[in-house]
Amino acid sequence: MSKFFYKGGLMKKPEHSSAGFSVNSVVRLGTEKAPAKLTVQTEARKLELQAILDESNWVAVIDVDSDQAENIQDLEILQGKKATEAAVSTKQASRNDPCPCGSGKKYKKCCAA
């Protein structure tokens, strides 16, 4: 049985940072890349919402149109995200886990000793 040898050049693996790949691109609502879109009926309501947005450093495009109904759904989403807090785990660290005190050592060598 004979062996087959490939005489061509090596194929380069594509770099993920090259054009065509968007690595770790997370677009969040309320930033310059994805501003919140709001529609209000009066100029006074626009100023009121702009004050709320400036307080939280959010970016939004506010259209004033008296014919359309008020649409502030994106602002409600942003406020809902701000109200939620990170989940706190009550699980005790096991022996080989990193120590929860933040020292970087294993739990068995740090706080459990």
Side-chain angles (χ1 to χ4, degrees):
M1 180 176 246
S2 66
K3 293 184 180 179
F4 176 74
F5 292 100
Y6 177 69
K7 292 187 176 185
L10 295 175
M11 293 181 64
K12 269 180 70 175
K13 290 184 179 178
E15 293 183 23
H16 292 292
S17 60
S18 65
F21 289 98
S22 57
V23 180
N24 298 333
S25 62
V26 176
V27 180
R28 293 193 174 101
L29 182 65
T31 59
E32 290 185 14
K33 289 186 178 181
K37 294 180 179 77
L38 308 174
T39 306
V40 294
Q41 292 182 338
T42 62
E43 192 69 33
R45 180 70 172 148
K46 177 182 177 180
L47 295 175
E48 181 182 329
L49 293 178
Q50 190 63 45
I52 294 171
L53 293 167
D54 290 340
E55 180 181 313
S56 300
N57 295 327
W58 291 324
V59 179
V61 176
I62 304 174
D63 296 327
V64 178
D65 191 0
S66 60
D67 297 338
Q68 292 184 353
E70 183 172 283
N71 181 11
I72 57 169
Q73 184 177 9
D74 287 350
L75 180 62
E76 292 170 354
I77 291 170
L78 287 171
Q79 288 175 334
K81 286 182 181 179
K82 188 177 180 182
T84 60
E85 295 181 12
V88 178
S89 176
T90 58
K91 181 182 172 190
Q92 181 71 17
S94 64
R95 287 177 45 87
N96 291 321
D97 289 341
C99 191
C101 72
S103 65
K105 297 180 182 179
K106 288 186 178 182
Y107 179 70
K108 66 182 178 185
K109 297 278 187 176
C110 185
C111 293

